[in-house]
Amino acid sequence: MNYLKKNIPLLCFVVLTIVVALAVTVIDIQTYIGYLNAKSEISLYMEEIRGNSQKKPSYGTDNLNAIQNDIKELKRRLYEVQSRYGKIHRKALRVFATELGTTEEALLKAFKEFHDGLPDEEKADNSEGKDRNIFDKFMARYYTKETEVDGEKKSVVDPELKKRFDAACENFYKYVRKEYVEYRRIPGNEYKCLLEALGLPVTDRLGNLRNILEGNNTEWGAIIPGFKDIVEPENQEKQIKELLIAYDNLSINQLWLAYRQIQIRQDIYKRMTAAKIAKVEYLRLAASAAQNNNQSMPGGTAQTDPLEGEKRGSYIYYTYEIKVRGSMDSIRGFLNSLASAHKDNRIYNVRDVRLLRDVDGEKGENIKKIFDENVSSVSNEGKISDNYGLTVIGKDPSVECIIVVDYIIYADDIIQRKKIESQK
């Protein structure tokens, strides 16, 4: 005891050390307990996160409806854009669908599902044989009703529905006969155009293709600029082959591609005629729009058959070189018509325009000759020459123009026909 009294500073130091040690121990224990609690909470949260990540997203009803409406609107707008690329019968098809009491979208979807569900032996190939059966079988759903006869379900024609169906078809066929020469030549084939509007490309027999092109000079001559100036019948036939399609060496599997060319070129000539182009010198289908750098293009493939066009992604490109003759106003009108063709669901991309003018009277030596022959417009007797004020340059207002243009088709929704292994 005396020792502690004599060492009070040491006693204070010991007591203070013990107090500090106890305080530090308490703080450490509290920190450790907090760590354990935090670890436990983290484990719970991690478990909750893992559980939530495995669950399907939980949308509010309003948000889910908004997302679904946005998806529908996006698909609609995308289809509207894609339809500009080659859905040339769309306006008539929409009217046809309305007259049947359905919609364009429902009609296209129903036909695709119907065609996909057909047995292979019933699907259309590149001859005309099965198209009529496909058309009749599909369209029957719009004028028949299911009824029970003697305990069996049968499809029975409804007179009112059949009347409405026939009227809708006739309205569509009027459009077809008005717009396309080939259907006026062979009546009864208009249903093929309706099938094409539904996604099945037009095809036929080679004999029918010849019949459309041969001996039909009046019809084709009415839309091809300069054709009427050709007098010799043999030259007219030759010109039709050059300007529409050379069919002599076509295989049976190329017929639907030939009909596509006839439709495209027919539209181009109509636009030329409407613009008052004087003459089309040639319209050539290039083997490839960019043969040299095709491999560098996204989705580009090596070109084989020019009639197949150049596939780039979801689109097919046909590149034409066109040479026409006419006034500047007519050429300008033709180019403007190509630019506004999207209103008719056709897309033309004009890539190059070159103007040419080669008139004998405007050549330098001929102009010099005219001036040499008429040195003075007034003679020594004061008489004015008859050639005074003679128009030397610009007397003929026509020019020649070479145009390189792409015609672009959206192809992903086109139904592919079966190929025929051997010609029948």
PDB file of all heavy atoms in Angstrom, residues 265-291:
ATOM      1  N   ARG A 265     -39.591  -2.029-116.999  1.00  0.00           N
ATOM      2  CA  ARG A 265     -39.336  -1.264-118.216  1.00  0.00           C
ATOM      3  C   ARG A 265     -40.614  -0.576-118.711  1.00  0.00           C
ATOM      4  O   ARG A 265     -40.557   0.542-119.209  1.00  0.00           O
ATOM      5  CB  ARG A 265     -38.772  -2.190-119.298  1.00  0.00           C
ATOM      6  CG  ARG A 265     -37.370  -2.692-118.963  1.00  0.00           C
ATOM      7  CD  ARG A 265     -36.937  -3.811-119.877  1.00  0.00           C
ATOM      8  NE  ARG A 265     -35.626  -4.318-119.488  1.00  0.00           N
ATOM      9  CZ  ARG A 265     -34.540  -4.268-120.251  1.00  0.00           C
ATOM     10  NH1 ARG A 265     -34.603  -3.726-121.455  1.00  0.00           N
ATOM     11  NH2 ARG A 265     -33.392  -4.740-119.822  1.00  0.00           N
ATOM     12  N   GLN A 266     -41.733  -1.254-118.550  1.00  0.00           N
ATOM     13  CA  GLN A 266     -43.004  -0.667-118.946  1.00  0.00           C
ATOM     14  C   GLN A 266     -43.252   0.636-118.185  1.00  0.00           C
ATOM     15  O   GLN A 266     -43.705   1.633-118.763  1.00  0.00           O
ATOM     16  CB  GLN A 266     -44.122  -1.673-118.663  1.00  0.00           C
ATOM     17  CG  GLN A 266     -45.440  -1.341-119.292  1.00  0.00           C
ATOM     18  CD  GLN A 266     -46.427  -2.495-119.159  1.00  0.00           C
ATOM     19  OE1 GLN A 266     -47.577  -2.349-119.507  1.00  0.00           O
ATOM     20  NE2 GLN A 266     -46.001  -3.635-118.655  1.00  0.00           N
ATOM     21  N   ASP A 267     -42.934   0.631-116.899  1.00  0.00           N
ATOM     22  CA  ASP A 267     -43.114   1.839-116.101  1.00  0.00           C
ATOM     23  C   ASP A 267     -42.171   2.942-116.565  1.00  0.00           C
ATOM     24  O   ASP A 267     -42.559   4.114-116.649  1.00  0.00           O
ATOM     25  CB  ASP A 267     -42.865   1.525-114.618  1.00  0.00           C
ATOM     26  CG  ASP A 267     -43.047   2.736-113.726  1.00  0.00           C
ATOM     27  OD1 ASP A 267     -44.207   3.180-113.559  1.00  0.00           O
ATOM     28  OD2 ASP A 267     -42.043   3.257-113.213  1.00  0.00           O
ATOM     29  N   ILE A 268     -40.919   2.578-116.864  1.00  0.00           N
ATOM     30  CA  ILE A 268     -39.945   3.572-117.325  1.00  0.00           C
ATOM     31  C   ILE A 268     -40.410   4.213-118.629  1.00  0.00           C
ATOM     32  O   ILE A 268     -40.359   5.445-118.798  1.00  0.00           O
ATOM     33  CB  ILE A 268     -38.554   2.928-117.496  1.00  0.00           C
ATOM     34  CG1 ILE A 268     -37.998   2.514-116.131  1.00  0.00           C
ATOM     35  CG2 ILE A 268     -37.590   3.892-118.182  1.00  0.00           C
ATOM     36  CD1 ILE A 268     -36.690   1.744-116.209  1.00  0.00           C
ATOM     37  N   TYR A 269     -40.903   3.403-119.580  1.00  0.00           N
ATOM     38  CA  TYR A 269     -41.350   3.941-120.866  1.00  0.00           C
ATOM     39  C   TYR A 269     -42.589   4.819-120.703  1.00  0.00           C
ATOM     40  O   TYR A 269     -42.740   5.828-121.393  1.00  0.00           O
ATOM     41  CB  TYR A 269     -41.625   2.801-121.847  1.00  0.00           C
ATOM     42  CG  TYR A 269     -40.386   2.007-122.209  1.00  0.00           C
ATOM     43  CD1 TYR A 269     -40.424   0.619-122.312  1.00  0.00           C
ATOM     44  CD2 TYR A 269     -39.172   2.653-122.437  1.00  0.00           C
ATOM     45  CE1 TYR A 269     -39.284  -0.102-122.632  1.00  0.00           C
ATOM     46  CE2 TYR A 269     -38.033   1.933-122.755  1.00  0.00           C
ATOM     47  CZ  TYR A 269     -38.097   0.561-122.847  1.00  0.00           C
ATOM     48  OH  TYR A 269     -36.966  -0.155-123.160  1.00  0.00           O
ATOM     49  N   LYS A 270     -43.467   4.450-119.798  1.00  0.00           N
ATOM     50  CA  LYS A 270     -44.642   5.291-119.544  1.00  0.00           C
ATOM     51  C   LYS A 270     -44.223   6.662-119.045  1.00  0.00           C
ATOM     52  O   LYS A 270     -44.797   7.689-119.420  1.00  0.00           O
ATOM     53  CB  LYS A 270     -45.559   4.619-118.522  1.00  0.00           C
ATOM     54  CG  LYS A 270     -46.381   3.469-119.073  1.00  0.00           C
ATOM     55  CD  LYS A 270     -47.267   2.905-117.973  1.00  0.00           C
ATOM     56  CE  LYS A 270     -48.117   1.759-118.478  1.00  0.00           C
ATOM     57  NZ  LYS A 270     -48.971   1.201-117.394  1.00  0.00           N
ATOM     58  N   ARG A 271     -43.229   6.689-118.181  1.00  0.00           N
ATOM     59  CA  ARG A 271     -42.747   7.972-117.651  1.00  0.00           C
ATOM     60  C   ARG A 271     -42.058   8.785-118.746  1.00  0.00           C
ATOM     61  O   ARG A 271     -42.170  10.018-118.776  1.00  0.00           O
ATOM     62  CB  ARG A 271     -41.807   7.734-116.465  1.00  0.00           C
ATOM     63  CG  ARG A 271     -42.515   7.093-115.273  1.00  0.00           C
ATOM     64  CD  ARG A 271     -41.592   6.831-114.092  1.00  0.00           C
ATOM     65  NE  ARG A 271     -42.314   6.077-113.086  1.00  0.00           N
ATOM     66  CZ  ARG A 271     -43.152   6.606-112.202  1.00  0.00           C
ATOM     67  NH1 ARG A 271     -43.337   7.914-112.176  1.00  0.00           N
ATOM     68  NH2 ARG A 271     -43.802   5.843-111.328  1.00  0.00           N
ATOM     69  N   MET A 272     -41.356   8.115-119.639  1.00  0.00           N
ATOM     70  CA  MET A 272     -40.753   8.816-120.777  1.00  0.00           C
ATOM     71  C   MET A 272     -41.834   9.439-121.658  1.00  0.00           C
ATOM     72  O   MET A 272     -41.731  10.613-122.058  1.00  0.00           O
ATOM     73  CB  MET A 272     -39.926   7.833-121.618  1.00  0.00           C
ATOM     74  CG  MET A 272     -38.643   7.362-120.994  1.00  0.00           C
ATOM     75  SD  MET A 272     -37.793   6.245-122.142  1.00  0.00           S
ATOM     76  CE  MET A 272     -36.381   5.756-121.159  1.00  0.00           C
ATOM     77  N   THR A 273     -42.850   8.650-121.975  1.00  0.00           N
ATOM     78  CA  THR A 273     -43.926   9.133-122.848  1.00  0.00           C
ATOM     79  C   THR A 273     -44.654  10.311-122.221  1.00  0.00           C
ATOM     80  O   THR A 273     -44.956  11.305-122.894  1.00  0.00           O
ATOM     81  CB  THR A 273     -44.920   7.988-123.138  1.00  0.00           C
ATOM     82  OG1 THR A 273     -44.210   6.906-123.767  1.00  0.00           O
ATOM     83  CG2 THR A 273     -46.028   8.456-124.062  1.00  0.00           C
ATOM     84  N   ALA A 274     -44.928  10.201-120.917  1.00  0.00           N
ATOM     85  CA  ALA A 274     -45.617  11.295-120.224  1.00  0.00           C
ATOM     86  C   ALA A 274     -44.779  12.566-120.219  1.00  0.00           C
ATOM     87  O   ALA A 274     -45.314  13.678-120.263  1.00  0.00           O
ATOM     88  CB  ALA A 274     -45.950  10.878-118.796  1.00  0.00           C
ATOM     89  N   ALA A 275     -43.439  12.411-120.194  1.00  0.00           N
ATOM     90  CA  ALA A 275     -42.542  13.571-120.206  1.00  0.00           C
ATOM     91  C   ALA A 275     -42.270  14.080-121.614  1.00  0.00           C
ATOM     92  O   ALA A 275     -41.547  15.064-121.790  1.00  0.00           O
ATOM     93  CB  ALA A 275     -41.227  13.212-119.516  1.00  0.00           C
ATOM     94  N   LYS A 276     -42.815  13.397-122.635  1.00  0.00           N
ATOM     95  CA  LYS A 276     -42.661  13.770-124.051  1.00  0.00           C
ATOM     96  C   LYS A 276     -41.238  13.606-124.552  1.00  0.00           C
ATOM     97  O   LYS A 276     -40.731  14.424-125.328  1.00  0.00           O
ATOM     98  CB  LYS A 276     -43.167  15.202-124.284  1.00  0.00           C
ATOM     99  CG  LYS A 276     -44.650  15.367-123.963  1.00  0.00           C
ATOM    100  CD  LYS A 276     -45.135  16.778-124.240  1.00  0.00           C
ATOM    101  CE  LYS A 276     -46.625  16.912-123.925  1.00  0.00           C
ATOM    102  NZ  LYS A 276     -47.131  18.270-124.155  1.00  0.00           N
ATOM    103  N   ILE A 277     -40.573  12.540-124.079  1.00  0.00           N
ATOM    104  CA  ILE A 277     -39.285  12.160-124.651  1.00  0.00           C
ATOM    105  C   ILE A 277     -39.514  11.764-126.109  1.00  0.00           C
ATOM    106  O   ILE A 277     -40.448  11.015-126.425  1.00  0.00           O
ATOM    107  CB  ILE A 277     -38.661  10.987-123.862  1.00  0.00           C
ATOM    108  CG1 ILE A 277     -38.285  11.431-122.437  1.00  0.00           C
ATOM    109  CG2 ILE A 277     -37.455  10.419-124.586  1.00  0.00           C
ATOM    110  CD1 ILE A 277     -37.144  12.399-122.354  1.00  0.00           C
ATOM    111  N   ALA A 278     -38.652  12.241-127.020  1.00  0.00           N
ATOM    112  CA  ALA A 278     -38.859  11.979-128.447  1.00  0.00           C
ATOM    113  C   ALA A 278     -38.528  10.539-128.819  1.00  0.00           C
ATOM    114  O   ALA A 278     -39.252   9.903-129.586  1.00  0.00           O
ATOM    115  CB  ALA A 278     -38.016  12.938-129.278  1.00  0.00           C
ATOM    116  N   LYS A 279     -37.444   9.996-128.256  1.00  0.00           N
ATOM    117  CA  LYS A 279     -37.025   8.651-128.635  1.00  0.00           C
ATOM    118  C   LYS A 279     -36.137   8.053-127.559  1.00  0.00           C
ATOM    119  O   LYS A 279     -35.316   8.749-126.949  1.00  0.00           O
ATOM    120  CB  LYS A 279     -36.263   8.681-129.966  1.00  0.00           C
ATOM    121  CG  LYS A 279     -35.880   7.295-130.487  1.00  0.00           C
ATOM    122  CD  LYS A 279     -35.123   7.376-131.803  1.00  0.00           C
ATOM    123  CE  LYS A 279     -34.772   5.978-132.310  1.00  0.00           C
ATOM    124  NZ  LYS A 279     -33.985   6.030-133.561  1.00  0.00           N
ATOM    125  N   VAL A 280     -36.328   6.764-127.320  1.00  0.00           N
ATOM    126  CA  VAL A 280     -35.390   6.029-126.474  1.00  0.00           C
ATOM    127  C   VAL A 280     -34.464   5.242-127.394  1.00  0.00           C
ATOM    128  O   VAL A 280     -34.909   4.436-128.210  1.00  0.00           O
ATOM    129  CB  VAL A 280     -36.133   5.106-125.474  1.00  0.00           C
ATOM    130  CG1 VAL A 280     -37.125   4.207-126.185  1.00  0.00           C
ATOM    131  CG2 VAL A 280     -35.143   4.267-124.690  1.00  0.00           C
ATOM    132  N   GLU A 281     -33.177   5.508-127.289  1.00  0.00           N
ATOM    133  CA  GLU A 281     -32.199   4.835-128.143  1.00  0.00           C
ATOM    134  C   GLU A 281     -31.939   3.409-127.638  1.00  0.00           C
ATOM    135  O   GLU A 281     -31.899   2.464-128.413  1.00  0.00           O
ATOM    136  CB  GLU A 281     -30.880   5.619-128.158  1.00  0.00           C
ATOM    137  CG  GLU A 281     -31.002   7.034-128.702  1.00  0.00           C
ATOM    138  CD  GLU A 281     -31.182   7.058-130.213  1.00  0.00           C
ATOM    139  OE1 GLU A 281     -31.031   5.991-130.838  1.00  0.00           O
ATOM    140  OE2 GLU A 281     -31.474   8.131-130.763  1.00  0.00           O
ATOM    141  N   TYR A 282     -31.750   3.290-126.317  1.00  0.00           N
ATOM    142  CA  TYR A 282     -31.593   1.956-125.729  1.00  0.00           C
ATOM    143  C   TYR A 282     -31.859   2.028-124.236  1.00  0.00           C
ATOM    144  O   TYR A 282     -31.827   3.086-123.611  1.00  0.00           O
ATOM    145  CB  TYR A 282     -30.200   1.370-126.018  1.00  0.00           C
ATOM    146  CG  TYR A 282     -29.027   2.181-125.508  1.00  0.00           C
ATOM    147  CD1 TYR A 282     -28.702   2.225-124.146  1.00  0.00           C
ATOM    148  CD2 TYR A 282     -28.203   2.886-126.382  1.00  0.00           C
ATOM    149  CE1 TYR A 282     -27.618   2.948-123.678  1.00  0.00           C
ATOM    150  CE2 TYR A 282     -27.116   3.622-125.928  1.00  0.00           C
ATOM    151  CZ  TYR A 282     -26.824   3.645-124.577  1.00  0.00           C
ATOM    152  OH  TYR A 282     -25.762   4.375-124.119  1.00  0.00           O
ATOM    153  N   LEU A 283     -32.164   0.857-123.678  1.00  0.00           N
ATOM    154  CA  LEU A 283     -32.311   0.693-122.232  1.00  0.00           C
ATOM    155  C   LEU A 283     -31.659  -0.644-121.898  1.00  0.00           C
ATOM    156  O   LEU A 283     -32.193  -1.700-122.215  1.00  0.00           O
ATOM    157  CB  LEU A 283     -33.779   0.709-121.814  1.00  0.00           C
ATOM    158  CG  LEU A 283     -34.077   0.797-120.305  1.00  0.00           C
ATOM    159  CD1 LEU A 283     -35.461   1.395-120.065  1.00  0.00           C
ATOM    160  CD2 LEU A 283     -33.999  -0.563-119.635  1.00  0.00           C
ATOM    161  N   ARG A 284     -30.490  -0.588-121.289  1.00  0.00           N
ATOM    162  CA  ARG A 284     -29.693  -1.797-121.069  1.00  0.00           C
ATOM    163  C   ARG A 284     -29.600  -2.121-119.586  1.00  0.00           C
ATOM    164  O   ARG A 284     -29.373  -1.235-118.763  1.00  0.00           O
ATOM    165  CB  ARG A 284     -28.284  -1.600-121.635  1.00  0.00           C
ATOM    166  CG  ARG A 284     -28.265  -1.374-123.146  1.00  0.00           C
ATOM    167  CD  ARG A 284     -26.891  -0.936-123.601  1.00  0.00           C
ATOM    168  NE  ARG A 284     -26.847  -0.680-125.040  1.00  0.00           N
ATOM    169  CZ  ARG A 284     -25.876   0.004-125.649  1.00  0.00           C
ATOM    170  NH1 ARG A 284     -24.873   0.499-124.922  1.00  0.00           N
ATOM    171  NH2 ARG A 284     -25.910   0.195-126.947  1.00  0.00           N
ATOM    172  N   LEU A 285     -29.762  -3.395-119.282  1.00  0.00           N
ATOM    173  CA  LEU A 285     -29.614  -3.873-117.918  1.00  0.00           C
ATOM    174  C   LEU A 285     -28.163  -4.250-117.695  1.00  0.00           C
ATOM    175  O   LEU A 285     -27.609  -5.108-118.387  1.00  0.00           O
ATOM    176  CB  LEU A 285     -30.519  -5.089-117.680  1.00  0.00           C
ATOM    177  CG  LEU A 285     -30.406  -5.777-116.324  1.00  0.00           C
ATOM    178  CD1 LEU A 285     -30.781  -4.821-115.200  1.00  0.00           C
ATOM    179  CD2 LEU A 285     -31.286  -7.020-116.283  1.00  0.00           C
ATOM    180  N   ALA A 286     -27.542  -3.580-116.735  1.00  0.00           N
ATOM    181  CA  ALA A 286     -26.142  -3.861-116.443  1.00  0.00           C
ATOM    182  C   ALA A 286     -26.022  -5.203-115.742  1.00  0.00           C
ATOM    183  O   ALA A 286     -26.904  -5.617-114.985  1.00  0.00           O
ATOM    184  CB  ALA A 286     -25.559  -2.750-115.566  1.00  0.00           C
ATOM    185  N   ALA A 287     -24.899  -5.892-115.988  1.00  0.00           N
ATOM    186  CA  ALA A 287     -24.674  -7.176-115.322  1.00  0.00           C
ATOM    187  C   ALA A 287     -24.554  -6.981-113.827  1.00  0.00           C
ATOM    188  O   ALA A 287     -24.950  -7.811-113.038  1.00  0.00           O
ATOM    189  CB  ALA A 287     -23.415  -7.835-115.873  1.00  0.00           C
ATOM    190  N   SER A 288     -24.009  -5.835-113.431  1.00  0.00           N
ATOM    191  CA  SER A 288     -23.899  -5.508-112.010  1.00  0.00           C
ATOM    192  C   SER A 288     -23.739  -4.020-111.872  1.00  0.00           C
ATOM    193  O   SER A 288     -23.099  -3.369-112.675  1.00  0.00           O
ATOM    194  CB  SER A 288     -22.696  -6.213-111.379  1.00  0.00           C
ATOM    195  OG  SER A 288     -22.519  -5.786-110.057  1.00  0.00           O
ATOM    196  N   ALA A 289     -24.320  -3.465-110.823  1.00  0.00           N
ATOM    197  CA  ALA A 289     -24.212  -2.022-110.610  1.00  0.00           C
ATOM    198  C   ALA A 289     -22.781  -1.627-110.316  1.00  0.00           C
ATOM    199  O   ALA A 289     -22.337  -0.548-110.682  1.00  0.00           O
ATOM    200  CB  ALA A 289     -25.118  -1.602-109.464  1.00  0.00           C
ATOM    201  N   ALA A 290     -22.043  -2.466-109.646  1.00  0.00           N
ATOM    202  CA  ALA A 290     -20.665  -2.141-109.283  1.00  0.00           C
ATOM    203  C   ALA A 290     -19.846  -3.425-109.297  1.00  0.00           C
ATOM    204  O   ALA A 290     -19.448  -3.944-108.277  1.00  0.00           O
ATOM    205  CB  ALA A 290     -20.610  -1.484-107.910  1.00  0.00           C
ATOM    206  N   GLN A 291     -19.606  -3.948-110.474  1.00  0.00           N
ATOM    207  CA  GLN A 291     -18.954  -5.241-110.603  1.00  0.00           C
ATOM    208  C   GLN A 291     -17.570  -5.237-109.977  1.00  0.00           C
ATOM    209  O   GLN A 291     -17.154  -6.202-109.357  1.00  0.00           O
ATOM    210  CB  GLN A 291     -18.865  -5.605-112.088  1.00  0.00           C
ATOM    211  CG  GLN A 291     -18.338  -7.012-112.354  1.00  0.00           C
ATOM    212  CD  GLN A 291     -19.336  -8.078-111.983  1.00  0.00           C
ATOM    213  OE1 GLN A 291     -20.507  -7.946-112.254  1.00  0.00           O
ATOM    214  NE2 GLN A 291     -18.879  -9.124-111.342  1.00  0.00           N
TER     215      GLN A 291
END
